[in-house]
Amino acid sequence: MQRKRKLGRGVAIVGAGMSKFGMFRDRDTKDLFLEAFNEAMASVDKGMDPNDIDAIYFGNFSNDFFVHQAHWGPIISDLIGNVPKASTRTEGACASGALALREGVFAIASGFYDIVLAGGAEQLSKLPTEKVTEGLALATSPYEGKAGFTFPGVFGATASAYFKKYGANREHLMNVTIKSHNNAPLNPKAQFPQSISDVMKDKVQRAIDKGKPVPVWKDEREFLRDPLVNPVVAWPMHLFDCSPISDGGSCVIMVAEELARNFTDAPLHVIGLGQGSGSGLHAKEDLASFEATKYAAREAYELSGLRPDDVQVCEVHDCFSIAEIVHLEDLGFFAPGQGYKAVEEGLTQRDGPKPINTSGGLKCKGHPIGATGTAQIYEIWKQLRGEAGERQVPIDSLRIGAAHNLGGTGGTCTFTILERRG
Ligand code: COA
């Protein structure tokens, strides 16, 4: 593939950390980010002095709304003892964390900084669901917002369009949900570390404990078809098609490529980087695709010289089950209209040829907006270094991984490709 763009100098990731994701009454943004930061520092194999961090890029969508505190760059700098060095907040809705990573890459590639911390955090769960929905809807386009769209509504429309165009149906979405829930119990940081079978057993036990009628479901699909346990949120998006309301933090430590071996013998090189933007529903000819993702993917493939088939493991932005299917196609992993079939055939399972969302995805790992971008990178860091424990993908010579982060209703999309060398 012909390369149009290049980085001024190479950039490598030498550390990564992530807090536990979940809904925490007693923990705030700072606690969660600090947990991620401490893990990231400890993960640098040969050690790093935190005073050597030149600058911070911190992704956060809307703590102004969710916790009534803005201006998070210096707060994070103060938290980790990096004042008076530069600290910048990045905002790209659900892609805010990936933008932090991207800005960090450019800062190092330009030669200005050698060592950068990039990450993000968000804290949603202290507000009631209606308020969270209102806050998240600030990331819709003005047209969508005025028309009353919320995120489940936008992705409900995406699913309806996809079904009509390609003949898929709700049963196909269940394959995504079941897969995510099968991966999550292998991820100790996941918000919902339960398979659907575990959820079913839990509900049966709770009914027994409360002396209520005990529900009976033949299998996972029958459970997912039951409107009492899996109600409609915005047709055809049901509860188990949605990512949850989450709190969490994550980050990575990046250095100039020539310095990487001072810190670890197993750095991950940033070899592909892409970002695109989109206009929103009013301008879309095809609701079953995100132009910004296609653009970001093209840019990242060009920079890396790789093709979709070269990506061995990938985290994609499954804010809703339909989103995972559409992204599989927009990233070029499967042809248009083939994504749902690929999932049905098990191709995207952890032990399949194209493992997707081994972390449990946003659906089960959780989706604390600003933290999601670098949490996806954290999963790829774990996988490419062979440190993913029970959820390690069974691929010999695992070398190339990628992460796709989508903000708003496709307004900001990024795609990042990482390579482990040596
Ligand atoms: N998947 C599966 N179960 C979920 C869930 C999810 N996403 N979210 C909550 N639950 C479960 C809870 O564990 C709880 O189970 P229990 O009754 O067995 O204890 C039950 O559903 C009710 O939880 P609650 O927190 O009251 O749910 P809610 O109705 O307030 O919120 C959603 C559910 C789907 C509306 C909410 O999670 C949501 O808005 N998600 C989308 C977030 C979003 O748009 N993010 C941005 C994407 S771009």
Side-chain angles (χ1 to χ4, degrees), residues 93-406:
C94 301
S96 297
L99 295 195
L101 178 125
R102 195 176 147 87
E103 293 308 313
V105 169
F106 291 149
I108 294 173
S110 72
F112 200 82
Y113 296 130
D114 288 332
I115 304 180
V116 160
L117 177 72
E122 204 96 31
Q123 190 189 338
L124 303 180
S125 76
K126 293 211 169 52
L127 293 181
T129 300
E130 298 72 30
K131 269 294 190 198
V132 173
T133 305
E134 182 191 331
L136 293 174
L138 296 173
T140 57
S141 70
Y143 166 87
E144 293 156 347
K146 277 192 201 125
F149 270 103
T150 58
F151 276 92
V154 168
F155 283 89
T158 304
S160 298
Y162 187 92
F163 290 177
K164 188 156 191 291
K165 187 168 181 188
Y166 296 120
N169 58 51
R170 231 196 111 201
E171 296 289 317
H172 296 109
L173 299 183
M174 291 179 192
N175 296 323
V176 177
T177 298
I178 292 169
K179 174 185 67 69
S180 300
H181 273 272
N182 282 340
N183 288 338
L186 307 176
N187 183 354
K189 302 206 184 230
Q191 180 166 350
F192 286 121
Q194 292 171 303
S195 66
I196 297 293
S197 301
D198 291 336
V199 177
M200 289 158 64
K201 281 185 208 138
D202 195 44
K203 292 215 181 274
V204 166
Q205 191 56 50
R206 275 203 258 171
I208 293 170
D209 292 346
K210 289 183 180 165
K212 291 194 169 163
V214 176
V216 180
W217 304 282
K218 181 168 72 88
D219 56 22
E220 295 171 317
R221 283 176 182 279
E222 197 170 288
F223 172 86
L224 291 172
R225 283 184 210 117
D226 181 348
L228 291 178
V229 290
N230 190 17
V232 174
V233 176
W235 182 267
M237 294 297 98
H238 291 63
L239 179 65
F240 280 78
D241 292 298
C242 305
S243 57
I245 290 168
S246 314
D247 309 322
S250 67
C251 61
V252 299
I253 301 167
M254 299 188 289
V255 305
E257 201 166 73
E258 69 269 17
L259 303 177
R261 300 276 162 174
N262 296 340
F263 299 105
T264 175
D265 291 328
L268 301 189
H269 297 259
V270 180
I271 58 167
L273 203 62
Q275 181 182 339
S277 63
S279 316
L281 295 185
H282 68 283
K284 286 181 86 165
E285 281 180 21
D286 182 4
L287 288 188
S289 174
F290 291 93
E291 192 188 358
T293 292
K294 289 182 170 169
Y295 185 87
R298 230 178 7 253
E299 204 170 56
Y301 290 133
E302 271 175 19
L303 183 67
S304 65
L306 299 180
R307 296 175 180 282
D309 281 352
D310 297 319
V311 174
Q312 294 169 293
V313 58
C314 188
E315 291 286 293
V316 308
H317 194 94
D318 60 319
C319 48
F320 296 88
S321 54
I322 183 62
E324 179 165 323
I325 291 173
V326 170
H327 302 329
L328 291 178
E329 299 175 8
D330 285 342
L331 293 171
F333 296 154
F334 303 102
Q338 299 301 310
Y340 77 94
K341 295 180 188 161
V343 178
E344 186 174 35
E345 288 164 18
L347 304 185
T348 59
Q349 287 178 6
R350 197 176 57 81
D351 57 358
K354 187 67 96 183
I356 300 294
N357 289 337
T358 50
S359 65
L362 279 52
K363 166 69 190 80
C364 294
K365 180 183 64 185
H367 182 23
I369 312 298
T372 286
T374 40
Q376 293 177 314
I377 300 289
Y378 174 85
E379 177 66 10
I380 299 303
W381 159 267
K382 288 284 184 191
Q383 290 288 351
L384 294 188
R385 286 169 45 105
E387 295 171 354
E390 285 187 277
R391 67 182 189 284
Q392 184 67 48
V393 299
I395 298 176
D396 298 335
S397 68
L398 186 60
R399 211 169 54 82
I400 306 288
H404 162 260
N405 201 192
L406 174 141

Side-chain angles (χ1 to χ4, degrees), residues 42-102:
S43 75
V44 180
D45 296 324
K46 298 181 188 174
M48 176 183 280
D49 182 345
N51 293 316
D52 289 340
I53 295 173
D54 292 320
I56 302 169
Y57 293 90
F58 177 74
N60 174 260
F61 163 52
S62 196
N63 263 9
D64 339 32
F65 181 91
F66 293 115
V67 296
H68 206 63
Q69 173 67 61
H71 201 187
W72 277 87
I75 296 174
I76 295 299
S77 184
D78 188 38
L79 176 75
I80 67 160
N82 214 42
V83 170
K85 294 182 203 164
S87 184
T88 304
R89 171 178 166 183
T90 57
E91 191 282 307
C94 301
S96 297
L99 295 195
L101 178 125
R102 195 176 147 87

